[in-house]
Amino acid sequence: MKKLTNWLLSGVLFLIVSTVFGQGKITGTITDNELKTGIPGVNVAIKGTSIGTVTDIDGKFSLDATTATGQVVLSYVGFETKTLNFTVANGQTIDLGSIVLVADADQLDEVIVVGKGIIDLAKERKTPIAVSTIKSAEIREKIGTSDITHMMVNTPSVYVSGQAGGFGDSRISVRGFQQDNTAFLLNGQPINGMEDGKMYWSNWSGMADIANAIQIQRGLGSSKLAISSVGGTVNFVTKATDMKEGGFVSTALANDNYFKSTVGYNTGMSEKGWGASFMLTHWQGDGYNDGTYGEGQNYFFSVGYKASDKHSFNFLLTGAPQQHDQNFTKKISDYLGFGRRYNNNYGYLNGQYVSERVNFYHKPVANLNWDFKISDKTELATVLYASWGRGGGTGNYGGSANKKYVMQTNPYTGDSERTYIDYDQIYANNQALPNGEGAFSNGYLIRSSVNNHAWYGVVSNLKQELSKNLVLNLGLDLRTYYGTHFRQVENLMGLNSFNDTRNLRGANHQTDPANPASTLVTQSVAVNPWKSLFKTTDENQRLDYDNSERISYGGIFGQLEYSNDNFSAFFQGSLSNQSHQRFDRYDYLPQYEDSEKVNNTGYNVKAGGSYKFNENNSFYVNAGYYNRQPYHDNIYLNFTNEVNPLTSNEKILGLEAGYSFKSEFFSANVNVYRTTWEDRVVSSSRTISNATGETIGTTPVAFGDLIYISDLGVKQIHSGIELDAVAKPFPKLDVRGFLSIGNWKYDGNAIKRTMDENQRLLLEETKDVHGGRVGDAAQTTWGLGLRYEILKGLSVDTDWRTYNDLYSNVGAVKENLMLPNYDLVDAGVSYKFNIGKAQTNSIVLRVNVNNVFDEVYLSELTSTIKTTDNIPAVGTAPSIGTYQANGRVYKGIADGNQGYFGLGRTWNFSLRYNF
């Protein structure tokens, strides 16, 4: 017994000695590879033990080690997990120094604590894809006064245009495909227009404030939805209910009297699992171009509830009511004569500024996310969503002869030209009419073209782990959409009433002179994005058109993926049906108001695989085929109830492959792709800029009229190569670069249809477009970005981009016009410092300068006039010859071409206080 007791005492003494003298201490500081600042809250643990800690506000940590050797595991949401070996002697303290964690796009979805929904991010498919991710810190730094599209300009094969049109009027192309052929998702909710697939960024002016991240998946993407992400898929991941209590206030100033203020607050998650977040923003500014004033608000509200480990819910409501005056394309000669900021869409009435073209909209969006963890191997994610769009755009209504202009001499051409709108003369003419009653033949008013909708949908995805290596996803995508379109009077301009007449259509969809109708309009509704939610004119007070459509959509989708440590393969498929019906209350006899109902079925399949050679090198291939239904606006001919016989399902075949290299100090991706598209519709627009107007077909069109061009039955072939790379040659220097070379062409013949703004068909013709270059996006781009940390909290960054092989946006043509190449340089300075006794609050200062060297460039053209073409005659005067012979050429381009100059040098300053 005594011997046993001695053995026990010896053992206890040995354990005590081992514990006391075998302990060491490990310290270090963990920083963000992008922001170069300490990361608070990082989990630090010794592998295989229960010993762990988290970093403090500066990213520092200290923990005890009970073993002489081992591994420290560092993990944090949104960053790659890092494992470090250590060796520590008894009583020794070792400092691991500064440890850099690398941002990980694959963990992007985990920034959403509650309500992940069905957000389709690259992480959900292990097979690599061509993807770029932009996180909230970079968005806050660089967005300035720009649309959210500006955040994607440093991405391969992405081109942003239309900024000169006004706040929210930009457009984005991916791999040469316009935004109606790129899928945009908000927390898993499809947001492309149901009627035409387009995106109107003015409706999403608050996206920069609420976005947690943007992920651009070029090409086939990883989306499991029953959508055709031909150009790519852009996922906007918004903020959700935050676990941490705190908030911020910020303010921003910029060129042209821009001002913005924002406040936000998070309650944090309570012990019972509840939490809420909200944010409010107001902005206003004069706009870069003349006559492009804008103002708006943004609201965001989110409530989260974590009912249990199995159930999480998040409700989100956001909206961005706004209004902004617009600029349309002009002749280059107009800009050269009146300045690059020239805009003639406005005038003065009794000395007060009046814009003829105002876009106004309010689109509240609500969604409810439910995440259900059924078991360790089964998860169900569902989002219910709704949006209610209200608003439209203003313009003139009445005969073109009734619109009066102030005449000025163009200093560049010497010609007398119509410039600003003479509202004083228009007002006087209207008041001189008998009883103040105007008509199309003798009156002028400002109308609002209203586009309202109600959209409801549900997307649900079931994820089942069939085995360790095999995962199955099955899902459902249901939507219903009801849109209403009509015109109402915004400003009678001195009239008491307006008599609008038309001939109603019959069974054959043709106007019937035997059935005339007229509406005496006396109501007017002023532009107001808030009031537009509830206030519109009565149906008997609408003019020009009044119609609606119902679009119903049902789709199922699935994905099966196999993966092990080095190899992965997947197969995706979807099947969908769309139904369309149009209702015309204005142009048809009552018994013919309802159109024929049209149903179309479509599908897509995708497959691919990847192989990981080692930790640094991997390779992938993807292929997909889409059979996509035409958009609603292409189904009904010339905006009537007549079904267009030329529309059919579009056929798309996509092939892509890529190689990735990844190391601690350098990573790069190379992607090659080829996409063929048949039976598609290409649309463009332009403004009549000749003082004498034009004749299209047999119909005269007037100065200032908008003309819409659609090409049907088009085949396109897009191929190219993309490269993006990130390097860290020095601890405080980051270098990023990208290169994209595209070859985007039309093939075969197309049917060209030209319409005016009143939706009348002016001309239809067949044309050869074989070999024509696709316009509206630069086919060759490259760029380089640098970020350098001067000292703690203070950094500078710059981005340089060059654009080549940019062609006019004129739809499908055989001979397109190439614009001059141009380069842009943006730069910024950031300074962040902590304040308060506990140093837990911070202030962030940021200055951006875009187009630092004030590059003068053409960002887009909407015509193809050659230098050898004759200058149009003015009035009865004879032609003076060609543009070339008269020296009317700008950088190799005939100055009669219409388009936009890009923005010159702009700046913005922001101040943010985090608490």
Side-chain angles (χ1 to χ4, degrees):
M1 184 68 181
K2 184 176 181 181
K3 190 173 183 180
L4 177 60
T5 302
N6 289 337
W7 273 106
L8 289 174
L9 289 173
S10 299
V12 170
L13 182 61
F14 176 78
L15 290 174
I16 293 174
V17 171
S18 299
T19 301
V20 173
F21 294 101
Q23 281 185 337
K25 191 176 291 292
I26 303 172
T27 62
T29 303
I30 301 176
T31 60
D32 184 333
N33 74 311
E34 294 180 347
L35 302 180
K36 309 301 183 295
T37 56
I39 308 175
V42 177
N43 293 311
V44 183
I46 296 179
K47 189 173 183 179
T49 74
S50 60
I51 299 172
T53 186
V54 295
T55 56
D56 63 17
I57 189 67
D58 296 316
K60 300 182 182 296
F61 71 88
S62 175
L63 80 166
D64 297 327
T66 58
T67 58
T69 61
Q71 292 180 314
V72 175
V73 179
L74 314 173
S75 60
Y76 188 65
V77 169
F79 291 83
E80 294 180 353
T81 298
K82 178 172 283 191
T83 301
L84 301 174
N85 297 322
F86 71 85
T87 301
V88 58
N90 290 344
Q92 181 187 22
T93 297
I94 61 169
D95 187 2
L96 298 180
S98 179
I99 307 165
V100 177
L101 288 189
V102 178
D104 184 5
D106 288 349
Q107 294 191 33
L108 183 59
D109 60 337
E110 296 179 16
V111 302
I112 305 170
V113 178
V114 177
K116 294 180 182 179
I118 46 78
I119 301 174
D120 272 313
L121 298 174
K123 178 180 183 292
E124 294 304 315
R125 199 175 81 195
K126 295 182 180 179
T127 303
I129 58 174
V131 62
S132 301
T133 302
I134 306 163
K135 294 194 175 181
S136 57
E138 185 176 354
I139 296 172
R140 285 199 306 266
E141 281 188 346
K142 296 184 177 182
I143 190 65
T145 65
S146 303
D147 297 342
I148 192 67
T149 53
H150 178 74
M151 296 309 305
M152 298 175 243
V153 296
N154 295 307
T155 304
S157 297
V158 171
Y159 187 74
V160 178
S161 57
Q163 299 96 318
F167 292 106
D169 283 353
S170 65
R171 303 186 312 279
I172 181 174
S173 296
V174 181
R175 289 185 175 175
F177 296 106
Q178 296 179 341
Q179 50 195 21
D180 55 338
N181 300 305
T182 298
F184 295 89
L185 303 174
L186 175 70
N187 290 350
Q189 168 188 338
I191 58 176
N192 292 74
M194 284 284 284
E195 300 166 22
D196 54 14
K198 294 180 180 179
M199 289 293 298
Y200 300 93
W201 296 106
S202 56
N203 300 348
W204 305 98
S205 60
M207 189 69 78
D209 297 316
I210 66 173
N212 230 348
I214 306 169
Q215 188 178 90
I216 308 108
Q217 303 168 5
R218 301 184 300 279
L220 300 176
S222 68
S223 173
K224 299 182 291 293
L225 297 181
I227 55 176
S228 297
S229 50
V230 182
T233 302
V234 179
N235 291 279
F236 294 104
V237 183
T238 71
K239 301 175 186 298
T241 308
D242 201 325
M243 288 187 67
K244 182 181 178 182
E245 181 183 5
F248 73 93
V249 291
S250 68
T251 187
L253 302 173
N255 54 279
D256 299 294
N257 299 316
Y258 182 88
F259 171 77
K260 180 179 180 178
S261 57
T262 307
V263 59
Y265 182 71
N266 305 310
T267 65
M269 300 297 291
S270 70
E271 293 182 359
K272 294 184 178 181
W274 285 94
S277 300
F278 77 87
M279 185 183 64
L280 297 172
T281 296
H282 174 82
W283 65 270
Q284 63 187 59
D286 290 340
Y288 181 83
N289 286 84
D290 298 338
T292 55
Y293 173 82
E295 66 173 297
Q297 296 77 39
N298 176 34
Y299 55 87
F300 171 85
F301 178 68
S302 178
V303 177
Y305 176 52
K306 189 174 180 62
S308 65
D309 291 338
K310 290 183 177 293
H311 298 279
S312 296
F313 301 89
N314 196 87
F315 173 76
L316 180 151
L317 176 67
T318 186
Q322 62 80 39
Q323 66 181 72
H324 69 277
D325 302 342
Q326 294 181 288
N327 176 36
F328 293 157
T329 59
K330 307 287 187 297
K331 292 185 297 183
I332 296 173
S333 59
D334 289 340
Y335 290 117
L336 296 179
F338 300 113
R340 287 185 286 120
R341 298 191 180 205
Y342 172 63
N343 177 19
N344 59 1
N345 286 338
Y346 67 95
Y348 294 88
L349 178 62
N350 297 325
Q352 298 297 312
Y353 167 88
V354 178
S355 176
E356 186 183 65
R357 297 286 184 170
V358 183
N359 176 279
F360 63 101
Y361 217 77
H362 188 180
K363 183 175 181 171
V365 176
N367 60 52
L368 175 64
N369 286 267
W370 172 37
D371 296 319
F372 177 22
K373 188 173 182 179
I374 301 172
S375 68
D376 291 340
K377 295 184 177 182
T378 308
E379 298 178 4
L380 178 67
T382 303
V383 57
L384 299 171
Y385 64 86
S387 68
W388 304 270
R390 300 290 186 271
T394 67
N396 63 294
Y397 191 68
S400 59
N402 307 322
K403 185 175 179 180
K404 305 301 179 183
Y405 291 89
V406 175
M407 302 300 295
Q408 293 187 7
T409 299
N410 186 326
Y412 170 71
T413 64
D415 296 332
S416 179
E417 297 188 8
R418 300 174 179 179
T419 55
Y420 307 100
I421 302 171
D422 190 349
Y423 282 116
D424 288 325
Q425 184 62 57
I426 291 172
Y427 200 89
N429 291 349
N430 281 345
Q431 288 200 316
L433 295 174
N435 301 319
E437 181 178 312
F440 200 86
S441 61
N442 59 11
Y444 168 99
L445 56 78
I446 297 180
R447 50 77 183 167
S448 292
S449 296
V450 177
N451 298 296
N452 296 342
H453 76 252
W455 183 351
Y456 304 94
V458 58
V459 180
S460 187
N461 182 73
L462 178 70
K463 181 180 179 180
Q464 176 68 49
E465 184 179 329
L466 302 177
S467 67
K468 179 181 178 181
N469 303 111
L470 193 63
V471 176
L472 174 66
N473 283 273
L474 296 173
L476 185 69
D477 179 7
L478 301 176
R479 314 171 208 167
T480 181
Y481 175 97
Y482 189 82
T484 302
H485 315 281
F486 58 89
R487 281 182 170 172
Q488 63 189 18
V489 176
E490 194 273 334
N491 191 329
L492 282 163
M493 280 292 160
L495 294 172
N496 294 323
S497 60
F498 190 93
N499 192 350
D500 198 42
T501 61
R502 76 275 189 193
N503 293 321
L504 296 176
R505 299 174 188 268
N508 61 356
H509 308 294
Q510 302 301 313
T511 57
D512 183 1
N515 287 290
S518 64
T519 302
L520 189 65
V521 179
T522 58
Q523 292 182 5
S524 63
V525 179
V527 166
N528 188 307
W530 284 96
K531 290 183 179 180
S532 66
L533 273 181
F534 309 102
K535 185 176 182 181
T536 60
T537 56
D538 299 332
E539 284 192 9
N540 63 3
Q541 288 290 290
R542 297 173 182 178
L543 71 164
D544 199 23
Y545 59 82
D546 181 12
N547 55 72
S548 302
E549 73 279 328
R550 180 172 297 282
I551 306 172
S552 299
Y553 179 100
I556 55 174
F557 54 87
Q559 172 183 285
L560 185 66
E561 181 170 31
Y562 172 85
S563 64
N564 56 33
D565 291 340
N566 298 314
F567 173 75
S568 68
F570 80 97
F571 174 81
Q572 290 182 11
S574 71
L575 178 68
S576 62
N577 183 76
Q578 293 183 7
S579 69
H580 303 261
Q581 190 169 17
R582 190 175 185 275
F583 314 98
D584 198 317
R585 293 171 292 277
Y586 192 85
D587 286 328
Y588 282 82
L589 289 166
Q591 62 269 38
Y592 302 116
E593 287 183 3
D594 296 357
S595 76
E596 174 187 346
K597 193 172 184 179
V598 176
N599 284 280
N600 291 310
T601 300
Y603 63 91
N604 64 57
V605 291
K606 306 177 190 176
S610 70
Y611 183 74
K612 186 177 181 181
F613 299 100
N614 51 43
E615 290 299 320
N616 304 111
N617 299 277
S618 62
F619 173 79
Y620 80 90
V621 292
N622 287 329
Y625 180 78
Y626 300 87
N627 188 284
R628 191 183 82 170
Q629 305 97 318
Y631 286 117
H632 178 88
D633 284 355
N634 297 324
I635 290 176
Y636 295 99
L637 187 62
N638 195 25
F639 294 93
T640 69
N641 285 354
E642 185 176 357
V643 176
N644 188 344
L646 299 177
T647 58
S648 60
N649 279 19
E650 301 171 354
K651 290 84 176 177
I652 306 105
L653 175 64
L655 305 170
E656 60 185 7
Y659 164 77
S660 296
F661 174 82
K662 195 171 187 179
S663 70
E664 185 175 356
F665 302 105
F666 177 78
S667 62
N669 303 286
V670 179
N671 305 288
V672 294
Y673 64 90
R674 177 182 171 85
T675 304
T676 58
W677 193 321
E678 298 185 54
D679 297 325
R680 67 160 304 193
V681 177
V682 182
S683 299
S684 61
S685 65
R686 67 184 182 94
T687 308
I688 300 298
S689 59
N690 297 326
T692 56
E694 297 180 15
T695 297
I696 301 178
T698 60
T699 306
V701 289
F703 176 84
D705 285 358
L706 275 175
I707 299 300
Y708 298 96
I709 302 168
S710 296
D711 296 302
L712 294 85
V714 177
K715 180 179 180 180
Q716 290 179 221
I717 302 175
H718 292 224
S719 59
I721 183 170
E722 302 164 338
L723 169 68
D724 61 271
V726 178
K728 190 173 180 64
F730 308 107
K732 296 185 177 182
L733 176 65
D734 282 339
V735 181
R736 297 185 179 187
F738 73 89
L739 166 68
S740 57
I741 302 173
N743 183 23
W744 311 328
K745 295 182 178 181
Y746 295 107
D747 189 32
N749 295 327
I751 296 174
K752 178 182 178 181
R753 305 181 77 246
T754 304
M755 294 176 290
D756 66 11
E757 193 172 5
N758 293 316
Q759 306 166 358
R760 293 179 301 172
L761 180 64
L762 305 177
L763 181 65
E764 182 171 301
E765 56 186 332
T766 301
K767 59 179 182 176
D768 174 18
V769 298
H770 183 74
R773 303 302 292 266
V774 175
D776 203 32
Q779 302 201 17
T780 302
T781 62
W782 63 82
L784 184 67
L786 305 174
R787 182 186 180 95
Y788 182 72
E789 184 184 18
I790 301 174
L791 49 87
K792 183 179 179 181
L794 178 63
S795 63
V796 295
D797 56 82
T798 184
D799 293 296
W800 163 72
R801 301 180 300 279
T802 185
Y803 298 95
N804 301 270
D805 301 323
L806 171 63
Y807 293 85
S808 288
N809 179 23
V810 290
V813 295
K814 187 175 182 66
E815 295 184 8
N816 207 339
L817 182 65
M818 187 168 71
L819 281 65
N821 303 338
Y822 66 93
D823 299 87
L824 295 177
V825 176
D826 302 333
V829 180
S830 297
Y831 182 49
K832 178 181 179 181
F833 57 94
N834 297 330
I835 59 174
K837 291 183 179 180
Q839 295 287 289
T840 55
N841 300 344
S842 64
I843 291 178
V844 182
L845 306 173
R846 175 72 181 184
V847 176
N848 287 308
V849 179
N850 294 329
N851 193 0
V852 172
F853 300 108
D854 201 20
E855 174 93 353
V856 179
Y857 65 100
L858 294 167
S859 61
E860 63 176 292
L861 292 179
T862 57
S863 58
T864 57
I865 299 172
K866 302 181 180 64
T867 58
T868 54
D869 290 343
N870 286 327
I871 299 173
V874 178
T876 59
S879 172
I880 60 175
T882 67
Y883 287 92
Q884 184 70 56
N886 285 273
R888 297 275 298 274
V889 176
Y890 176 79
K891 293 187 177 182
I893 303 295
D895 66 17
N897 282 289
Q898 293 181 235
Y900 290 118
F901 276 91
L903 305 187
R905 183 188 298 116
T906 60
W907 61 270
N908 60 82
F909 167 78
S910 63
L911 170 66
R912 180 184 174 103
Y913 172 58
N914 301 302
F915 59 89

